[in-house]
Amino acid sequence: MSSSSPTTEPSSVTQLLNPHSPLNGHDSTDQPQPPPPQDPENQPKDDAVPGDKRKREENDDDDPKPSVVPPLWKTSLCSYFRRESASCSHGSGCRYAHGEAELRPRPDNTWDPTSERAKKQKLEEEDGDQCAAPDNVMMTEAVDDDDDGDGDVGGLDPELSKCLVHLPRNWKSEKLKDFLSEKGVQFKSAKKKKGMTLGFVSFQSVEQLQTAVKELDGISIGNKNIKVADVIPRSFEKKTKSAMALPQNPQKTTDVELDGENVEDSVVANGAEDGNGTSGRSARKVVTPLAHMPYGDQLEHKKNSLMQILKRLTRNARKACPDGIPLPEWILKSREIGGLPCSLEGILASPVVNGYRNKCEFSVGYSLQGKITVGFMLGNFREGVTAVEEPFDCPNVSRISCKYASIFQEFLQHSSLPVWNRFKNIGFWRQLTVREGRRPGMASDAENCEANIAEVMLIVQVSSTGFDDAQITSDFERLAQAFSAGATASSPYLPLTALVIQDHRGISNAAPADAPLRSLSISKGEGSSEMQATDNVVEPKIHDYISNLRFCISPTAFFQVNTLAAEKLYSLAGDWAELGPDTLLFDVCCGTGTIGLTLAHHVGMVIGIEMNASAVSDACRNAEINGITNCRFVSAKAEDVMRSLLEEYINAPQKQENNVIEGIDEVVATDEEKPISTDNKPNPEVNSSHELESGKTASEGLETDKQELRSQLQSSCTSENGNAPVKHFSNVVAIVDPPRSGLHPTVIKALRTHPGLRKLVYISCNPESLVANAIELCTPSPEKIEKNKNNRAWRNMSSAGLARHRAKSMPASEPFQPVKAMAVDLFPHTIHCELVMLLER
């Protein structure tokens, strides 16, 4: 280690100020470090990991503290102190701080990034970006009703009311009232909803209001300072609705009226007075923040951002390396490429820049003017933003999607059922999702891309709790007629393949995959649309094409939103994986099987793993449609089956009667005679997905069928003749495409600890998650495994910090090494892009 570790002094102050420089910590232990130098440029870095690796001569501990304090003296926490919570062997002469009390700010007025001060400052900056001023608060929901059941229904007089911003999210109205009482603030009423950072307070007189503003403005709660904002009322457009005046079910009158006639005021804070962008927010800025930049500049911006994120992998992996174990070669070589863990080979541009999204989710709510609107929210609910703006200015949304949003918005103006109120969590209409399917072929611009759209599926999300069935049925019939008439009347004609209703009762619009679905029939003739009996309706599907393969897409299945750019993404992943006839490809988090199926003709076999039952059904159907016979899809959580599947196909052949995969929920095999089922019986996976229309969930009946499925597992683990054992492959490659949260720790451990897996291609839509997962995959295993302590400190850790913590308990295994990375821009005009990284060992 001593021969390869750097021992020279840093060449610039810039290196000194970089707490994650490669010169840290892992120097040779047989060469004592020099005593505290007077020259700051001779100081080692602040995040040296092992405390005993900076040992000085024995008499150095008696050296007095320099009379002239170097600029970087005590500006970083001692790494030994951070790790052991005790003073290191250097004693009081240590140039590093042994606690927050000793810590000093750096010359650039920043703090050690590992300190509590720096973490709090970062949180304040992040929260400040989202809620930097009161004019970011745009509540368009009524707050003068008795939301929390405390009996306080006092109305908000804008002249005698204020909005308090930066309140703790876990506070409710009662807690806010207690806080005001403790501060000696007199008030008439106080309203606060848990999960939001703002509350509303009304007063009985101007004197009370002025006194309260002086007392509350700028007061500190935790690490936040309260801001006082004005409350500006907005009149909602009144509508006479006979259905509201004479509800068929009197028990449900309150639910309807709370979000209908009785909703007279919306409140926005300071600066949104004219509702025309005075607040500085718009759907275009929120949804496509890079739309003002030329596309070439957008790509450069994203590349630079990714470089900074990738450097965190190097820094955190260095910190995670166990004591006494040499640093991996890729960390040592990172100095040569600017601190990157591997070379970033650039960013691939999207073939289509405008109107590229094949899936758009439009929220239903109120605009700043109080109009029922279908579009995009202008911020986060927890920050007090519920305003919705139409999507017409967003360049990533197609004309067809915007048109359907407009049709739905017009329908809601005359609906007898209320829209969803996010403040009270009541209402009926919640969200519209538009999914588009394209014909095969390339398109170089948005106009040609839209001309290729052949199929459209509309998913309308509702919450039917507390509403009369007859009223719901009536509105659904009118909804189907409205979409059918709107599509026919549009020029050119809008394709419309399926209309689906999703019933979701949760607080947020993120519905689970098994939320009940029901299909409404669409007739081309105006006025002839009607609901079909759900028992006779086949689950609605649309189709799209990637690499000349036809893919079937169900309402909730995952499919890349930029089809043409996805072709580039999958082609890149296949090239880097170096596939061959003797390759077994694991497609982890496979969705509808797009990656595995597009690469199936290059490999011996594909094993796809996906927890969404409907998506697995689509994957099997996609394999059958395209005549692909070397794929097997498993419907289960990857963390439950990954290890067993690796052992099944990589280890030496075992007797078939013992070949039972533990933790598997559903198995679907595809071959020439049985492309979808594991045996001659109907596939319960397909059946359950087809029964979603009648309200049954995809997992219904799973427990009763599990034993039968396990007993039939042998047939899915054999070749076509049913007698030969499972084929074992010499080259095993995994391609993982996890959700934004990244891979489950159990999946990471299975991939890392199985020696037969030598190559891993990681496709990430969230580079932060990739960094966290790569820390565990690429950090050397400790000689002694540390058991994770049962404490709650992890709650305050970053994703990288958690990964470093879990790396300490990684079983002894050969780590992967980052080889190369490349970005693919699937999301023009936004800050997001896909990142592909090749890991080998």
Side-chain angles (χ1 to χ4, degrees):
M1 180 65 194
S2 59
S3 60
S4 59
S5 300
T7 57
T8 58
E9 295 179 356
S11 59
S12 67
V13 178
T14 303
Q15 288 182 324
L16 262 178
L17 296 178
N18 179 8
H20 307 289
S21 170
L23 301 178
N24 280 324
H26 290 271
D27 297 80
S28 173
T29 55
D30 56 355
Q31 292 187 11
Q33 299 295 314
Q38 301 296 325
D39 184 358
E41 291 204 6
N42 290 329
Q43 297 186 42
K45 305 302 167 293
D46 59 328
D47 64 345
V49 176
D52 58 350
K53 292 184 180 181
R54 298 195 304 265
K55 276 190 176 180
R56 310 173 203 155
E57 300 294 344
E58 294 182 0
N59 59 356
D60 283 346
D61 285 338
D62 299 335
D63 289 349
K65 181 179 176 180
S67 56
V68 178
V69 179
L72 297 183
W73 181 267
K74 302 290 186 183
T75 58
S76 300
L77 288 173
C78 177
S79 59
Y80 183 86
F81 175 84
R82 286 200 309 264
R83 190 172 62 255
E84 306 292 340
S85 298
S87 297
C88 66
S89 59
H90 306 152
S92 59
C94 181
R95 70 200 67 182
Y96 300 98
H98 291 175
E100 297 283 338
E102 288 188 12
L103 193 63
R104 299 172 59 243
R106 293 179 175 179
D108 57 355
N109 290 325
T110 62
W111 296 91
D112 179 355
T114 63
S115 67
E116 292 300 321
R117 287 186 180 94
K119 293 176 182 177
K120 289 181 178 179
Q121 187 177 23
K122 183 179 179 181
L123 287 175
E124 289 177 3
E125 291 174 354
E126 290 176 352
D127 290 337
D129 290 341
Q130 297 180 354
C131 192
D135 63 0
N136 282 342
V137 181
M138 289 177 280
M139 282 293 299
T140 60
E141 317 287 8
V143 294
D144 58 346
D145 296 292
D146 185 16
D147 301 324
D148 48 10
D150 60 1
D152 183 2
V153 293
L156 284 176
D157 180 354
E159 299 297 330
L160 296 176
S161 302
K162 288 293 181 181
C163 174
L164 304 184
V165 188
H166 292 166
L167 296 176
R169 289 181 182 144
N170 61 342
W171 279 18
K172 293 185 177 181
S173 295
E174 204 58 42
K175 182 64 176 179
L176 176 57
K177 293 174 183 177
D178 292 342
F179 169 75
L180 295 174
S181 299
E182 290 175 4
K183 298 299 180 182
V185 175
Q186 295 181 344
F187 59 95
K188 178 183 176 182
S189 66
K191 308 298 293 184
K192 168 74 171 65
K193 188 172 181 66
K194 186 177 181 180
M196 299 181 64
T197 59
L198 67 149
F200 299 92
V201 184
S202 61
F203 305 91
Q204 293 180 338
S205 65
V206 176
E207 290 74 18
Q208 279 188 4
L209 184 147
Q210 293 175 345
T211 303
V213 171
K214 292 179 181 179
E215 179 67 29
L216 297 175
D217 197 21
I219 192 172
S220 177
I221 300 181
N223 61 345
K224 296 288 186 66
N225 294 327
I226 291 181
K227 295 182 180 180
V228 180
D230 294 333
V231 174
I232 302 171
R234 297 208 172 279
S235 295
F236 278 61
E237 297 176 4
K238 298 284 190 77
K239 294 179 293 182
T240 303
K241 301 178 182 177
S242 57
M244 286 187 181
L246 297 172
Q248 297 183 20
N249 189 342
Q251 187 69 26
K252 303 172 181 63
T253 303
T254 303
D255 285 339
V256 176
E257 289 186 348
L258 279 178
D259 211 20
E261 291 293 333
N262 286 350
V263 180
E264 296 188 4
D265 293 322
S266 64
V267 282
V268 295
N270 216 8
E273 193 161 356
D274 57 9
N276 294 320
T278 346
S279 66
R281 291 203 185 197
S282 66
R284 181 183 177 93
K285 290 182 179 179
V286 172
V287 177
T288 54
L290 302 185
H292 66 283
M293 302 169 60
Y295 186 52
D297 294 345
Q298 293 182 31
L299 296 178
E300 190 65 26
H301 174 82
K302 293 182 181 184
K303 180 181 177 182
N304 292 336
S305 297
L306 288 175
M307 292 180 67
Q308 298 306 314
I309 294 174
L310 287 175
K311 289 178 182 179
R312 298 178 199 167
L313 171 56
T314 308
R315 297 195 297 259
N316 283 281
R318 178 189 297 276
K319 293 179 182 179
C321 286
D323 295 341
I325 294 181
L327 285 173
E329 185 179 359
W330 65 270
I331 293 182
L332 298 176
K333 289 185 176 180
S334 65
R335 298 175 56 194
E336 303 172 5
I337 50 177
L340 294 172
C342 58
S343 62
L344 179 60
E345 300 192 352
I347 179 168
L348 297 179
S350 172
V352 179
V353 177
N354 295 319
Y356 58 84
R357 289 192 65 93
N358 58 39
K359 178 183 179 182
C360 291
E361 296 177 333
F362 300 115
S363 298
V364 177
Y366 291 97
S367 68
L368 290 173
Q369 295 80 18
K371 178 184 177 182
I372 294 177
T373 305
V374 178
F376 296 120
M377 290 185 62
L378 298 182
N380 294 324
F381 171 79
R382 65 176 179 267
E383 304 295 351
V385 179
T386 63
V388 178
E389 187 177 291
E390 295 173 343
F392 303 115
D393 261 352
C394 300
N396 59 345
V397 180
S398 71
R399 180 192 63 85
I400 291 177
S401 293
C402 287
K403 183 61 177 177
Y404 276 118
S406 179
I407 294 172
F408 188 43
Q409 178 175 309
E410 179 62 26
F411 166 80
L412 293 179
Q413 310 301 323
H414 309 286
S415 173
S416 60
L417 297 170
V419 302
W420 185 254
N421 185 308
R422 292 172 181 81
F423 198 84
K424 302 181 182 68
N425 298 324
I426 60 173
F428 186 80
W429 305 107
R430 303 185 59 148
Q431 180 177 272
L432 170 68
T433 301
V434 183
R435 302 199 72 162
E436 304 169 355
R438 292 170 170 80
R439 301 182 183 91
M442 291 293 294
S444 59
D445 55 58
E447 183 178 354
N448 292 334
C449 187
E450 289 183 8
N452 278 344
I453 297 176
E455 298 177 292
V456 171
M457 179 191 296
L458 305 178
I459 304 112
V460 178
Q461 186 184 97
V462 302
S463 180
S464 62
T465 304
F467 292 94
D468 183 67
D469 290 341
Q471 189 180 17
I472 293 174
T473 301
S474 175
D475 264 38
F476 281 171
E477 290 178 352
R478 295 195 304 108
L479 176 66
Q481 294 172 7
F483 278 129
S484 179
T488 304
S490 179
S491 179
Y493 167 79
L494 300 179
L496 181 55
T497 308
L499 174 58
V500 182
I501 301 296
Q502 181 185 59
D503 198 345
H504 173 48
R505 303 177 184 181
I507 294 177
S508 85
N509 288 348
D514 60 353
L517 301 176
R518 57 193 300 186
S519 179
L520 305 184
S521 64
I522 300 294
S523 175
K524 302 299 180 183
E526 185 175 353
S528 62
S529 298
E530 60 180 10
M531 289 185 61
Q532 279 188 336
T534 54
D535 292 339
N536 299 325
V537 177
V538 177
E539 185 183 22
K541 305 280 184 181
I542 60 173
H543 300 85
D544 210 330
Y545 290 81
I546 293 182
S547 300
N548 294 322
L549 296 180
R550 189 169 186 246
F551 289 93
C552 183
I553 305 169
S554 59
T556 60
F558 171 78
F559 197 81
Q560 290 287 3
V561 298
N562 188 339
T563 310
L564 298 178
E567 291 187 2
K568 285 190 172 185
L569 177 68
Y570 299 157
S571 176
L572 175 67
D575 291 343
W576 283 9
E578 297 180 349
L579 307 174
D582 199 31
T583 298
L584 172 65
L585 175 62
F586 278 94
D587 184 4
V588 184
C589 308
C590 66
T592 56
T594 49
I595 297 178
L597 293 175
T598 54
L599 301 177
H601 63 287
H602 294 297
V603 301
M605 187 170 185
V606 175
I607 304 295
I609 306 172
E610 172 60 46
M611 64 182 292
N612 186 322
S614 182
V616 170
S617 175
D618 288 344
C620 297
R621 191 174 291 108
N622 292 332
E624 182 182 16
I625 290 172
N626 294 285
I628 297 174
T629 61
N630 61 337
C631 292
R632 171 187 174 191
F633 295 98
V634 178
S635 177
K637 292 183 178 180
E639 56 266 28
D640 294 338
V641 299
M642 191 70 225
R643 175 174 293 278
S644 298
L645 289 171
L646 283 168
E647 293 175 353
E648 177 186 352
Y649 283 92
I650 298 179
N651 288 352
Q654 300 176 2
K655 294 182 179 180
Q656 288 295 313
E657 57 268 23
N658 296 328
N659 193 10
V660 178
I661 299 180
E662 297 298 329
I664 192 167
D665 289 337
E666 296 271 297
V667 177
V668 184
T670 62
D671 55 49
E672 291 181 356
E673 297 182 358
K674 300 171 288 186
I676 298 180
S677 301
T678 57
D679 51 25
N680 294 328
K681 299 181 180 181
N683 186 350
E685 191 65 78
V686 177
N687 290 345
S688 63
S689 65
H690 284 189
E691 292 170 351
L692 289 175
E693 299 88 349
S694 59
K696 295 183 180 180
T697 63
S699 59
E700 197 168 321
L702 181 59
E703 292 301 325
T704 58
D705 294 338
K706 188 176 292 186
Q707 293 300 325
E708 181 179 354
L709 283 170
R710 289 180 183 277
S711 67
Q712 299 294 336
L713 186 60
Q714 178 178 348
S715 63
S716 71
C717 296
T718 58
S719 60
E720 293 181 19
N721 58 21
N723 298 320
V726 177
K727 181 179 179 180
H728 294 265
F729 299 86
S730 59
N731 181 34
V732 180
V733 177
I735 297 180
V736 298
D737 187 10
R740 292 191 61 82
S741 56
L743 292 172
H744 191 279
T746 306
V747 179
I748 296 174
K749 186 173 290 187
L751 296 171
R752 163 71 185 265
T753 57
H754 206 291
L757 182 63
R758 310 300 298 176
K759 186 174 297 186
L760 174 65
V761 180
Y762 195 122
I763 301 175
S764 174
C765 59
N766 181 10
E768 299 280 359
S769 298
L770 184 151
V771 168
N773 291 164
I775 291 171
E776 296 183 70
L777 290 168
C778 302
T779 301
S781 301
E783 294 180 350
K784 182 179 180 182
I785 298 178
E786 297 184 17
K787 292 185 178 181
N788 292 331
K789 299 179 181 178
N790 186 19
N791 56 52
R792 297 186 178 182
W794 60 269
R795 293 173 184 251
N796 298 322
M797 290 184 183
S798 64
S799 58
L802 281 171
R804 295 199 308 267
H805 185 68
R806 286 195 292 262
K808 296 178 181 179
S809 60
M810 182 65 68
S813 55
E814 183 183 359
F816 286 91
Q817 292 195 13
V819 177
K820 54 186 175 181
M822 178 174 281
V824 183
D825 187 20
L826 264 70
F827 317 103
H829 306 303
T830 75
I831 61 174
H832 306 291
C833 67
E834 297 276 338
L835 181 62
V836 183
M837 179 176 286
L838 175 62
L839 304 173
E840 291 182 347
R841 57 183 173 184

